[in-house]
Amino acid sequence: MGRGRSFADRRRWRSSHALLAIPLALIVVITVVDMLLPQDIHLGPLLVIAPAITASFAGPRLTGMIGALAVVAQACIGWHFGENFSRNVVVQVVALALLSCLIVFFCVVRERREGELAQVRSVAEAAQHVLLWPIPDRIGPLRTACLYLAAEDEAEIGGDLYAATRTADGARVMIGDVRGKGLAAIGEAALLLGAFREAAHQHTSLPALADALDQSVERYQSEFSEPEGEVGERFVTALLLEIPDDGHITRMTTCGHPAPLLLSPGHSVTVPSLHPAPPLGLGVPVRGDHTLDVFTFEVGDTLVLYTDGVIEARDHAGVFYPFAERAAQWTDCDPKTLLHHIRRDLLAHAGGRLGDDAALIAIHRAPPHHMFRHGS
C-alpha cells in the first residue's frame, strides 16, 4: 500500500509541475499584451487568474510562487509605463498580493481537509480488512468472488456484511444487512460476523446456527443503548447457505433476507423458493422456527447472494434495478467477471451513486476442466 501511494504521489507531483506551464504562459501573455496596448487599457488585474488556476492542481507553495510572479509582472507593467511609483500601480500590486495570499490560504485549508479525508479513508480501509475478511477465490470445489459498494462518501464499509468458512464436508456462507448506517451499523455487523465465524463450526444445522446468531444479536442490543429515534427498529436480515462438497443439494435458511439468484448456463435465471423467518434481533420468539430450504445447485451453476441495496437501486426515473434480467446476460462468466459486469451496470443504472450499501457474493460450482468465458 505504501509503494502504491508513493507512486501515485510521484505521478501527481509530475502532473502538477507539467500544468504549471498554463499559469506561467498566462503571466507572460498578459504582461506582454498589456505592455503593447495603449496606456489607458489595463490587463494587469487579470494576472490574478494565474494563482487561481494553480490552486486547482497544486499546493500552497507552488501557488504562492505563481502569485509572487504575478505580483512581479504587475510591477513590471507599471515600470514599463513609467508609473512604478504611481498610486494606481501600488494599489494594483497590493491588491494582487492580497488576493494571492488569500488563494494560498485556501490552498492550505484544502490540503488539511484532504489530509483528514485521507486519514478517514485509511481507517475505513483498515476496518474493512478487519471486519470483512476477503472470501477465498476457492473453497473446495467452489469458485467465489465478492463485492462491496458503500453508499456513503469516503466510506469503505457500512451495515452490509458477508462471510464464508470451510467446514469438514463443505462450505457455509452468510450474507446480511444491518438496518441503519454509520458506526452503530458497523458495530452490529462486526458482532454478527464474529458470531458466525465461531458458531458455524459448532452447530450441525443451519436453523440451529440461525438461532445462535439471533441470540448473539439480541444480547448485543440489550447491552448497548439504541440510538435516539431508532428504538425498536434495530434488526439484521441474514441468509445462511450450506454447500456440501459432494452431491448437488444445497441447504439454505433465511432470516428476512432476499433469496439468491441461481444462474445456469444458457442465460437461465431462477430464484429458489424460501420460507423466511423474521430478521435477527427483533425479539420475536422464533427459536426452532427457522426453516431449512433445500434446492439443487448443479455443476456449472452460479449462485449470486446480494443485499437489498442492489435490487432497490433506482435510476433517474425511479425505476428499480432489474437485477435478474441483467444478470441473465452473464450466466457463462466466471464469478469475478460476473461481479465486474454487475458492478458497472448497477452504477450506470443508479447514475454512479447508490442510495444504500450493496454487497454481493458469486459462488460457482465448477465442472472439471471447465473454461469460463471472460467476455460480456
Side-chain angles (χ1 to χ4, degrees):
M1 185 179 295
R3 291 182 180 178
R5 286 181 179 173
S6 176
F7 178 71
D9 290 341
R10 286 198 300 270
R11 288 187 60 182
R12 194 180 302 111
W13 185 86
R14 291 172 184 170
S15 63
S16 65
H17 278 67
L19 290 172
L20 275 178
I22 298 175
L24 288 174
L26 281 173
I27 291 175
V28 172
V29 170
I30 292 173
T31 303
V32 171
V33 172
D34 198 355
M35 290 179 176
L36 295 177
L37 290 174
Q39 189 172 355
D40 60 334
I41 299 178
H42 303 283
L43 297 183
L46 295 178
L47 288 168
V48 74
I49 298 174
I53 290 177
T54 308
S56 66
F57 60 82
R61 183 173 299 178
L62 286 177
T63 303
M65 291 174 57
I66 294 297
L69 287 176
V71 171
V72 171
Q74 179 66 71
C76 289
I77 293 173
W79 176 83
H80 172 76
F81 288 107
E83 300 177 353
N84 50 318
F85 295 112
S86 73
R87 181 180 303 176
N88 184 47
V89 172
V90 171
V91 169
Q92 290 180 358
V93 170
V94 171
L96 183 56
L98 291 175
L99 287 173
S100 297
C101 289
L102 185 61
I103 293 171
V104 171
F105 170 75
F106 283 117
C107 278
V108 172
V109 173
R110 184 194 63 195
E111 278 206 342
R112 289 181 179 176
R113 175 62 177 163
E114 288 176 349
E116 292 173 357
L117 291 178
Q119 186 175 7
V120 170
R121 227 178 266 120
S122 65
V123 171
E125 290 174 0
Q128 184 180 42
H129 289 304
V130 170
L131 298 181
L132 288 181
W133 297 353
I135 294 179
D137 294 340
R138 300 182 59 171
I139 306 177
L142 306 175
R143 304 295 179 268
T144 66
C146 54
L147 173 65
Y148 194 101
L149 298 172
E152 293 189 4
D153 292 338
E154 308 303 334
E156 298 286 338
I157 183 173
D160 289 13
L161 56 100
Y162 52 74
T165 185
R166 178 78 174 149
T167 60
D169 57 352
R172 282 184 169 177
V173 183
M174 177 183 69
I175 189 167
D177 186 357
V178 179
R179 188 214 172 270
K181 298 179 181 179
L183 294 178
I186 293 175
E188 202 153 348
L191 174 279
L192 189 59
L193 287 169
F196 170 80
R197 289 165 184 150
E198 182 64 25
H201 299 279
Q202 298 177 350
H203 299 277
T204 56
S205 70
L206 290 185
L209 175 58
D211 286 341
L213 296 178
D214 192 24
Q215 294 177 41
S216 296
V217 173
E218 287 185 5
R219 280 194 300 268
Y220 173 84
Q221 292 180 351
S222 66
E223 293 174 0
F224 293 91
S225 59
E226 298 181 350
E228 186 178 351
E230 295 188 7
V231 178
E233 296 183 355
R234 291 171 60 188
F235 58 85
V236 185
T237 66
L239 178 73
L240 304 174
L241 207 64
E242 186 175 70
I243 309 174
D245 290 342
D246 301 324
H248 306 295
I249 297 299
T250 292
R251 293 177 280 274
M252 176 173 56
T253 291
T254 179
C255 304
H257 201 83
L261 298 184
L262 180 61
L263 312 184
S264 301
H267 307 290
S268 172
V269 179
T270 57
V271 180
S273 60
L274 286 178
H275 298 84
L280 306 175
L282 278 183
V284 228
V286 291
R287 300 286 183 267
D289 291 339
H290 292 99
T291 304
L292 184 67
D293 294 297
V294 177
F295 63 96
T296 302
F297 183 27
E298 300 283 355
V299 169
D301 290 347
T302 300
L303 272 172
V304 183
L305 286 63
Y306 57 93
T307 58
D308 58 10
V310 177
I311 55 177
E312 292 180 358
R314 298 172 183 258
D315 63 9
H316 65 280
V319 178
F320 289 112
Y321 180 63
F323 188 30
E325 176 186 333
R326 299 293 178 86
Q329 305 174 67
W330 309 300
T331 56
D332 297 325
C333 294
D334 66 273
K336 286 187 177 179
T337 305
L338 171 64
L339 293 189
H340 170 76
H341 287 308
I342 292 174
R343 179 185 185 277
R344 183 180 60 184
D345 192 56
L346 176 63
L347 291 176
H349 178 86
R353 182 173 181 176
L354 299 179
D356 191 9
D357 296 340
L360 299 102
I361 306 175
I363 306 170
H364 181 85
R365 190 188 287 275
H369 311 297
H370 178 72
M371 295 299 292
F372 288 110
R373 257 176 45 192
H374 292 270
S376 57

